[in-house]
Amino acid sequence: MCFGKSLARRAGYTVYNSSILLTRKGNMEMINVAVVEEEEHYREELKQILDLEEGVKLLGVCENGREICVLMKKCRPDMVFIGVTPPQAYGLDLARRFKEIPFEDILVVLMSEDRNHGLEAFNLEVFDFILKPLKGERVKKSL
């Protein structure tokens, strides 16, 4: 299991060149993850991928922005996977909100079937962008 370097540093891990020390005092640290995805088959697929990952605690799988807001009142994820579904692309608005205080330290991963959303993701300075359909290895790279 591999964490992004910025998340590892914030969590107090030591980063050596390309590798990250994953344990602190001998205990595996969990990364808390939430998912917001309108399309059920992508929600289920992502849930299955994340459930199999050691060191990942899935806090919740939400269908829309309202549900993630309720979840955020109960717990605070380290990383949020946000699906962007054309043509409305509400996920982009949600990603913008997660880049503002008090959520600026949450890592945002945008997922979309539209390659053009990759440029939007870059402009929003999100942590990662994944082109749908989802692939397990690609999701793991985000972690």
Side-chain angles (χ1 to χ4, degrees):
M1 164 105 190
C2 162
F3 293 103
K5 288 183 181 181
S6 61
L7 179 61
R9 283 189 185 103
R10 277 190 299 137
Y13 295 108
T14 306
V15 177
Y16 298 101
N17 294 333
S18 63
S19 58
I20 300 170
L21 183 62
L22 287 179
T23 58
R24 197 166 45 179
K25 296 181 183 174
N27 296 325
M28 181 79 171
E29 290 289 324
M30 301 293 282
I31 181 171
N32 295 313
V33 176
V35 173
V36 185
E37 173 59 65
E38 293 176 1
E39 297 184 58
E40 184 177 2
H41 66 281
Y42 285 131
R43 279 195 311 272
E44 288 302 314
E45 188 176 355
L46 193 53
K47 182 182 181 313
Q48 288 175 358
I49 293 168
L50 294 172
D51 280 343
L52 294 174
E53 279 303 299
E54 192 174 316
V56 172
K57 181 178 182 184
L58 186 57
L59 299 176
V61 179
C62 305
E63 186 176 345
N64 55 49
R66 267 186 240 120
E67 289 181 11
I68 191 67
C69 289
V70 170
L71 179 69
M72 295 290 289
K73 289 179 182 177
K74 297 177 186 173
C75 53
R76 187 172 182 90
D78 301 307
M79 178 180 277
V80 178
F81 286 84
I82 301 175
V84 180
T85 306
Q88 299 91 350
Y90 295 124
L92 292 172
D93 294 330
L94 192 55
R96 283 184 194 93
R97 289 184 61 197
F98 276 109
K99 298 304 290 181
E100 298 171 2
I101 295 173
F103 305 113
E104 75 278 0
D105 62 333
I106 296 173
L107 300 176
V108 174
V109 178
L110 282 179
M111 307 172 296
S112 179
E113 294 173 341
D114 186 343
R115 290 181 185 275
N116 294 323
H117 289 145
L119 179 58
E120 294 261 5
F122 177 77
N123 290 333
L124 286 170
E125 298 178 1
V126 300
F127 181 71
D128 202 358
F129 174 78
I130 299 175
L131 190 63
K132 294 176 184 175
L134 301 174
K135 294 178 177 65
E137 287 303 313
R138 180 62 188 91
V139 171
K140 291 174 188 177
K141 285 182 181 181
S142 290
L143 297 169

